[in-house]
Amino acid sequence: MDQQTPYVDEAPVTATGGFASAEFAENPEPRCACVLLLDTSGSMNGPPIAQLNLGLQSFKDELLSDSLASKRVEIAVVTFGESARLVTDFCDAASFEPPSLTAGGLTPMGAAVWDALGRLAARKETYKANGVAYYRPWVFLITDGEPTDEYQSAAQQVREGEARGAFSFYAVGVMDANMQKLAEISPPNRPPVKLDGLRFRDLFVWLSKSMRTVSQAAIGQNVALQPPGWISTQA
Amino acid sequence: MTWRFVDGFAAGTSHLETQSPCQDRCACVVVSSDDGGEVLVAVVSDGAGSAPRSEEGAAFVCQELTAAAGAAVRASSDLDALSDETVRSWFLAVREALRARARAAGGDVRDYAATALLAIASDHQALCAQLGDGGIVVRRAPGEPFELAVWPGGGEYANETFFVTDDGAPERIELRRYDRVVDVVAFSDGLQHLALEWSSRSAFAPFFGPLVATVRARGDAGDAVRAELLAYLNSEAVNRRTDDDKSLAIACRVEAGAA
């Protein structure tokens, strides 16, 4: 089809200015929430936490480089170390200040998962109350250890939520992470993956690309994500 | 003729970038009934971006629904005599035909996934049937509000919709009936963020007003007004707000004597 159909110049019949005088509704951009659940326990100290911090910066930069994603993706950061803690509440890429995380304490992963899922549910309510359309949110958990608190109820919550489509849950194990326990928390259809070394930057570049894809999917479109290149294939 | 109408579809900029075809289709016909009535039939179909043959599916939906509805209203322009079941059966027939086509091609019916929006308006009644995203807006009289037949989006999320090819299609067809209407506008989801207001879940009147005013004034200009519509759909103003395929069918009743 000829995309630039020439305007057929006829004397204007109406005073309305034709089709072009149709005004557009102002609707908020649809949003795609992404909660990062980050392990900041003592064992992350040193290069892991440093690389994780660099990765967060890349995440912001990559999202900002895409005009739609920068408006649509909303990031929240919950860490678990000394305690489960909200470090960044939902904000867009421009407002996202990549935190400089420090490592210390145990691994209260169960509490952090509960916290993240609660915030996600509340965020959806905010979207609905404000007439904001939204995409299926993501929860992205990164850990190098295993939960030191009660995590079974949180795991149950993750599986139920994933099953009814409330969110997509991804878990990534770093170095000596207990992949067994991580598998218990992950939904059966999306088992945890292991980060290759400390390739946090590659992971976050992939995550931003995926969020771009998800947040720009046309109506009714299932998204095909790029295969993550940062996964360790060693058992 | 009682109705003036124009319809057109245009590829979204995201489709142009990826060199994928426009997967929207629409159709508009006016049928002269055996009982003397004149009945408008408008169809819009949006092929799923992820389905390889959805362009074909969308064209098929338009062709088949126009034919089925056209045949029914040719026999009688009384839409009250047209049961919900009959209307649903047209959608099902489309699915079955697409299944057969997929089998013959060695593919899957989902390859043809497309939405299906149908509007029928006779002298005394109107009927809207919708499966999937996009919308149909009607107006009962000049000066009356534009009414959205069905709020789009079956699912919770912005990228979820239903298709005529779905297994659960029959239960998801939404039907609305009206008394006489004077304006009918059907559009695909590529325009819905421009045409609908999310906070109030309603038609955005300043969008629809100029469309119907233009068709009412220029609807007899034939190809010229169609070219104007296509130019509009491809305009910078529209493309700034949507990168998806977009289609519009606009029809207005013109009173006898005004035609």
Side-chain angles (χ1 to χ4, degrees), chain B residues 95-124:
Chain B
R95 187 182 68 186
E96 294 317 307
L98 284 174
R99 280 183 174 162
R101 182 178 288 222
R103 266 197 305 274
D108 189 300
V109 71
R110 282 171 299 189
D111 295 349
Y112 301 84
T115 64
L117 283 68
L118 166 69
I120 309 173
S122 71
D123 292 335
H124 305 290

mmCIF file of all heavy atoms in Angstrom, chain B residues 95-124:
data_model
loop_
_atom_site.group_PDB
_atom_site.id
_atom_site.type_symbol
_atom_site.label_atom_id
_atom_site.label_comp_id
_atom_site.label_asym_id
_atom_site.label_seq_id
_atom_site.Cartn_x
_atom_site.Cartn_y
_atom_site.Cartn_z
ATOM 1 N N ARG B 95 -14.391 -18.721 12.444
ATOM 2 C CA ARG B 95 -13.343 -19.522 13.093
ATOM 3 C C ARG B 95 -13.214 -20.890 12.428
ATOM 4 O O ARG B 95 -12.108 -21.360 12.165
ATOM 5 C CB ARG B 95 -13.630 -19.688 14.586
ATOM 6 C CG ARG B 95 -12.484 -20.370 15.302
ATOM 7 C CD ARG B 95 -12.763 -20.582 16.769
ATOM 8 N NE ARG B 95 -13.823 -21.556 16.971
ATOM 9 C CZ ARG B 95 -14.344 -21.850 18.169
ATOM 10 N NH1 ARG B 95 -13.917 -21.213 19.246
ATOM 11 N NH2 ARG B 95 -15.287 -22.745 18.288
ATOM 12 N N GLU B 96 -14.364 -21.505 12.157
ATOM 13 C CA GLU B 96 -14.309 -22.842 11.550
ATOM 14 C C GLU B 96 -13.665 -22.778 10.165
ATOM 15 O O GLU B 96 -12.870 -23.648 9.793
ATOM 16 C CB GLU B 96 -15.712 -23.452 11.473
ATOM 17 C CG GLU B 96 -16.323 -23.754 12.826
ATOM 18 C CD GLU B 96 -15.340 -24.402 13.792
ATOM 19 O OE1 GLU B 96 -14.723 -25.428 13.442
ATOM 20 O OE2 GLU B 96 -15.136 -23.855 14.899
ATOM 21 N N ALA B 97 -14.004 -21.747 9.424
ATOM 22 C CA ALA B 97 -13.420 -21.605 8.086
ATOM 23 C C ALA B 97 -11.921 -21.365 8.172
ATOM 24 O O ALA B 97 -11.146 -21.884 7.358
ATOM 25 C CB ALA B 97 -14.107 -20.459 7.337
ATOM 26 N N LEU B 98 -11.504 -20.597 9.180
ATOM 27 C CA LEU B 98 -10.064 -20.353 9.348
ATOM 28 C C LEU B 98 -9.347 -21.627 9.802
ATOM 29 O O LEU B 98 -8.211 -21.883 9.420
ATOM 30 C CB LEU B 98 -9.822 -19.208 10.340
ATOM 31 C CG LEU B 98 -10.073 -17.797 9.790
ATOM 32 C CD1 LEU B 98 -9.953 -16.762 10.899
ATOM 33 C CD2 LEU B 98 -9.119 -17.470 8.647
ATOM 34 N N ARG B 99 -10.046 -22.440 10.604
ATOM 35 C CA ARG B 99 -9.467 -23.724 11.014
ATOM 36 C C ARG B 99 -9.228 -24.605 9.795
ATOM 37 O O ARG B 99 -8.178 -25.242 9.656
ATOM 38 C CB ARG B 99 -10.392 -24.448 12.006
ATOM 39 C CG ARG B 99 -10.259 -23.918 13.403
ATOM 40 C CD ARG B 99 -11.127 -24.706 14.372
ATOM 41 N NE ARG B 99 -10.887 -24.271 15.738
ATOM 42 C CZ ARG B 99 -11.698 -24.509 16.757
ATOM 43 N NH1 ARG B 99 -12.806 -25.194 16.563
ATOM 44 N NH2 ARG B 99 -11.393 -24.078 17.948
ATOM 45 N N ALA B 100 -10.232 -24.629 8.928
ATOM 46 C CA ALA B 100 -10.107 -25.445 7.709
ATOM 47 C C ALA B 100 -8.972 -24.925 6.843
ATOM 48 O O ALA B 100 -8.175 -25.697 6.295
ATOM 49 C CB ALA B 100 -11.429 -25.422 6.944
ATOM 50 N N ARG B 101 -8.881 -23.607 6.740
ATOM 51 C CA ARG B 101 -7.832 -23.004 5.941
ATOM 52 C C ARG B 101 -6.454 -23.344 6.531
ATOM 53 O O ARG B 101 -5.511 -23.655 5.795
ATOM 54 C CB ARG B 101 -8.040 -21.491 5.920
ATOM 55 C CG ARG B 101 -7.038 -20.742 5.068
ATOM 56 C CD ARG B 101 -7.329 -19.266 5.065
ATOM 57 N NE ARG B 101 -8.516 -18.934 4.292
ATOM 58 C CZ ARG B 101 -8.603 -17.882 3.470
ATOM 59 N NH1 ARG B 101 -7.576 -17.070 3.337
ATOM 60 N NH2 ARG B 101 -9.700 -17.645 2.804
ATOM 61 N N ALA B 102 -6.367 -23.295 7.859
ATOM 62 C CA ALA B 102 -5.091 -23.606 8.523
ATOM 63 C C ALA B 102 -4.708 -25.067 8.283
ATOM 64 O O ALA B 102 -3.548 -25.378 8.006
ATOM 65 C CB ALA B 102 -5.207 -23.322 10.023
ATOM 66 N N ARG B 103 -5.694 -25.940 8.395
ATOM 67 C CA ARG B 103 -5.428 -27.376 8.160
ATOM 68 C C ARG B 103 -4.904 -27.590 6.747
ATOM 69 O O ARG B 103 -3.914 -28.280 6.536
ATOM 70 C CB ARG B 103 -6.710 -28.190 8.372
ATOM 71 C CG ARG B 103 -6.859 -28.749 9.766
ATOM 72 C CD ARG B 103 -7.920 -29.871 9.792
ATOM 73 N NE ARG B 103 -9.216 -29.440 9.244
ATOM 74 C CZ ARG B 103 -10.148 -28.827 9.963
ATOM 75 N NH1 ARG B 103 -9.933 -28.544 11.241
ATOM 76 N NH2 ARG B 103 -11.289 -28.478 9.419
ATOM 77 N N ALA B 104 -5.574 -26.951 5.803
ATOM 78 C CA ALA B 104 -5.179 -27.110 4.397
ATOM 79 C C ALA B 104 -3.759 -26.594 4.164
ATOM 80 O O ALA B 104 -3.013 -27.127 3.346
ATOM 81 C CB ALA B 104 -6.169 -26.376 3.488
ATOM 82 N N ALA B 105 -3.396 -25.545 4.916
ATOM 83 C CA ALA B 105 -2.068 -24.951 4.738
ATOM 84 C C ALA B 105 -1.031 -25.624 5.627
ATOM 85 O O ALA B 105 0.138 -25.261 5.607
ATOM 86 C CB ALA B 105 -2.126 -23.453 5.046
ATOM 87 N N GLY B 106 -1.475 -26.607 6.417
ATOM 88 C CA GLY B 106 -0.560 -27.300 7.322
ATOM 89 C C GLY B 106 -0.118 -26.418 8.480
ATOM 90 O O GLY B 106 0.935 -26.641 9.064
ATOM 91 N N GLY B 107 -0.922 -25.433 8.826
ATOM 92 C CA GLY B 107 -0.566 -24.524 9.919
ATOM 93 C C GLY B 107 -1.547 -24.623 11.070
ATOM 94 O O GLY B 107 -2.333 -25.567 11.161
ATOM 95 N N ASP B 108 -1.472 -23.624 11.932
ATOM 96 C CA ASP B 108 -2.309 -23.568 13.122
ATOM 97 C C ASP B 108 -3.297 -22.419 12.942
ATOM 98 O O ASP B 108 -2.950 -21.382 12.360
ATOM 99 C CB ASP B 108 -1.414 -23.312 14.339
ATOM 100 C CG ASP B 108 -2.177 -23.457 15.643
ATOM 101 O OD1 ASP B 108 -3.158 -22.712 15.868
ATOM 102 O OD2 ASP B 108 -1.784 -24.319 16.440
ATOM 103 N N VAL B 109 -4.508 -22.594 13.463
ATOM 104 C CA VAL B 109 -5.524 -21.549 13.302
ATOM 105 C C VAL B 109 -5.067 -20.245 13.955
ATOM 106 O O VAL B 109 -5.434 -19.151 13.522
ATOM 107 C CB VAL B 109 -6.895 -22.024 13.842
ATOM 108 C CG1 VAL B 109 -6.893 -22.124 15.366
ATOM 109 C CG2 VAL B 109 -8.019 -21.083 13.373
ATOM 110 N N ARG B 110 -4.222 -20.370 14.979
ATOM 111 C CA ARG B 110 -3.739 -19.154 15.655
ATOM 112 C C ARG B 110 -2.841 -18.304 14.760
ATOM 113 O O ARG B 110 -2.602 -17.139 15.035
ATOM 114 C CB ARG B 110 -2.994 -19.526 16.942
ATOM 115 C CG ARG B 110 -3.941 -19.887 18.080
ATOM 116 C CD ARG B 110 -3.182 -20.462 19.241
ATOM 117 N NE ARG B 110 -2.480 -21.680 18.867
ATOM 118 C CZ ARG B 110 -1.877 -22.488 19.727
ATOM 119 N NH1 ARG B 110 -1.858 -22.195 21.012
ATOM 120 N NH2 ARG B 110 -1.267 -23.582 19.326
ATOM 121 N N ASP B 111 -2.336 -18.912 13.681
ATOM 122 C CA ASP B 111 -1.552 -18.132 12.717
ATOM 123 C C ASP B 111 -2.395 -17.010 12.107
ATOM 124 O O ASP B 111 -1.856 -16.048 11.564
ATOM 125 C CB ASP B 111 -1.051 -19.023 11.571
ATOM 126 C CG ASP B 111 -0.063 -20.069 12.054
ATOM 127 O OD1 ASP B 111 0.378 -19.958 13.226
ATOM 128 O OD2 ASP B 111 0.262 -20.984 11.279
ATOM 129 N N TYR B 112 -3.719 -17.165 12.170
ATOM 130 C CA TYR B 112 -4.639 -16.217 11.540
ATOM 131 C C TYR B 112 -5.318 -15.307 12.573
ATOM 132 O O TYR B 112 -6.299 -14.636 12.242
ATOM 133 C CB TYR B 112 -5.721 -16.963 10.755
ATOM 134 C CG TYR B 112 -5.171 -17.869 9.669
ATOM 135 C CD1 TYR B 112 -4.742 -19.156 9.963
ATOM 136 C CD2 TYR B 112 -5.077 -17.414 8.347
ATOM 137 C CE1 TYR B 112 -4.223 -19.991 8.977
ATOM 138 C CE2 TYR B 112 -4.567 -18.235 7.363
ATOM 139 C CZ TYR B 112 -4.139 -19.529 7.673
ATOM 140 O OH TYR B 112 -3.637 -20.333 6.696
ATOM 141 N N ALA B 113 -4.808 -15.324 13.806
ATOM 142 C CA ALA B 113 -5.481 -14.625 14.908
ATOM 143 C C ALA B 113 -5.804 -13.176 14.570
ATOM 144 O O ALA B 113 -4.939 -12.419 14.127
ATOM 145 C CB ALA B 113 -4.620 -14.683 16.165
ATOM 146 N N ALA B 114 -7.063 -12.820 14.779
ATOM 147 C CA ALA B 114 -7.498 -11.451 14.498
ATOM 148 C C ALA B 114 -8.715 -11.130 15.363
ATOM 149 O O ALA B 114 -9.490 -12.027 15.709
ATOM 150 C CB ALA B 114 -7.859 -11.302 13.012
ATOM 151 N N THR B 115 -8.875 -9.870 15.694
ATOM 152 C CA THR B 115 -10.065 -9.452 16.419
ATOM 153 C C THR B 115 -11.226 -9.332 15.427
ATOM 154 O O THR B 115 -11.013 -9.403 14.210
ATOM 155 C CB THR B 115 -9.861 -8.085 17.094
ATOM 156 O OG1 THR B 115 -9.657 -7.097 16.075
ATOM 157 C CG2 THR B 115 -8.652 -8.091 18.023
ATOM 158 N N ALA B 116 -12.434 -9.128 15.936
ATOM 159 C CA ALA B 116 -13.587 -8.996 15.040
ATOM 160 C C ALA B 116 -14.611 -8.063 15.672
ATOM 161 O O ALA B 116 -15.160 -8.350 16.734
ATOM 162 C CB ALA B 116 -14.207 -10.364 14.764
ATOM 163 N N LEU B 117 -14.834 -6.931 15.027
ATOM 164 C CA LEU B 117 -15.816 -5.950 15.501
ATOM 165 C C LEU B 117 -16.829 -5.722 14.389
ATOM 166 O O LEU B 117 -16.458 -5.409 13.260
ATOM 167 C CB LEU B 117 -15.145 -4.613 15.829
ATOM 168 C CG LEU B 117 -14.355 -4.489 17.141
ATOM 169 C CD1 LEU B 117 -13.109 -5.330 17.123
ATOM 170 C CD2 LEU B 117 -14.008 -3.044 17.402
ATOM 171 N N LEU B 118 -18.095 -5.879 14.746
ATOM 172 C CA LEU B 118 -19.150 -5.774 13.750
ATOM 173 C C LEU B 118 -20.221 -4.793 14.227
ATOM 174 O O LEU B 118 -20.669 -4.880 15.369
ATOM 175 C CB LEU B 118 -19.783 -7.165 13.538
ATOM 176 C CG LEU B 118 -21.115 -7.235 12.797
ATOM 177 C CD1 LEU B 118 -20.946 -6.880 11.324
ATOM 178 C CD2 LEU B 118 -21.741 -8.632 12.937
ATOM 179 N N ALA B 119 -20.602 -3.870 13.362
ATOM 180 C CA ALA B 119 -21.708 -2.956 13.675
ATOM 181 C C ALA B 119 -22.736 -3.031 12.556
ATOM 182 O O ALA B 119 -22.385 -3.027 11.373
ATOM 183 C CB ALA B 119 -21.196 -1.522 13.827
ATOM 184 N N ILE B 120 -23.993 -3.119 12.944
ATOM 185 C CA ILE B 120 -25.084 -3.139 11.975
ATOM 186 C C ILE B 120 -26.084 -2.066 12.402
ATOM 187 O O ILE B 120 -26.450 -2.004 13.577
ATOM 188 C CB ILE B 120 -25.810 -4.508 11.947
ATOM 189 C CG1 ILE B 120 -24.812 -5.661 11.799
ATOM 190 C CG2 ILE B 120 -26.839 -4.559 10.815
ATOM 191 C CD1 ILE B 120 -25.465 -7.038 11.934
ATOM 192 N N ALA B 121 -26.510 -1.241 11.464
ATOM 193 C CA ALA B 121 -27.480 -0.204 11.833
ATOM 194 C C ALA B 121 -28.558 -0.109 10.762
ATOM 195 O O ALA B 121 -28.266 0.165 9.599
ATOM 196 C CB ALA B 121 -26.786 1.143 12.007
ATOM 197 N N SER B 122 -29.781 -0.359 11.185
ATOM 198 C CA SER B 122 -30.912 -0.241 10.258
ATOM 199 C C SER B 122 -31.636 1.072 10.563
ATOM 200 O O SER B 122 -31.172 1.873 11.375
ATOM 201 C CB SER B 122 -31.874 -1.418 10.453
ATOM 202 O OG SER B 122 -32.555 -1.269 11.686
ATOM 203 N N ASP B 123 -32.778 1.271 9.949
ATOM 204 C CA ASP B 123 -33.503 2.516 10.181
ATOM 205 C C ASP B 123 -34.026 2.612 11.614
ATOM 206 O O ASP B 123 -34.248 3.703 12.127
ATOM 207 C CB ASP B 123 -34.686 2.617 9.206
ATOM 208 C CG ASP B 123 -34.197 2.793 7.768
ATOM 209 O OD1 ASP B 123 -33.069 3.305 7.593
ATOM 210 O OD2 ASP B 123 -34.931 2.397 6.836
ATOM 211 N N HIS B 124 -34.209 1.465 12.246
ATOM 212 C CA HIS B 124 -34.854 1.479 13.563
ATOM 213 C C HIS B 124 -34.001 0.935 14.689
ATOM 214 O O HIS B 124 -34.267 1.197 15.860
ATOM 215 C CB HIS B 124 -36.165 0.686 13.505
ATOM 216 C CG HIS B 124 -37.090 1.176 12.436
ATOM 217 N ND1 HIS B 124 -37.724 2.385 12.519
ATOM 218 C CD2 HIS B 124 -37.447 0.646 11.237
ATOM 219 C CE1 HIS B 124 -38.455 2.582 11.434
ATOM 220 N NE2 HIS B 124 -38.296 1.541 10.636
#
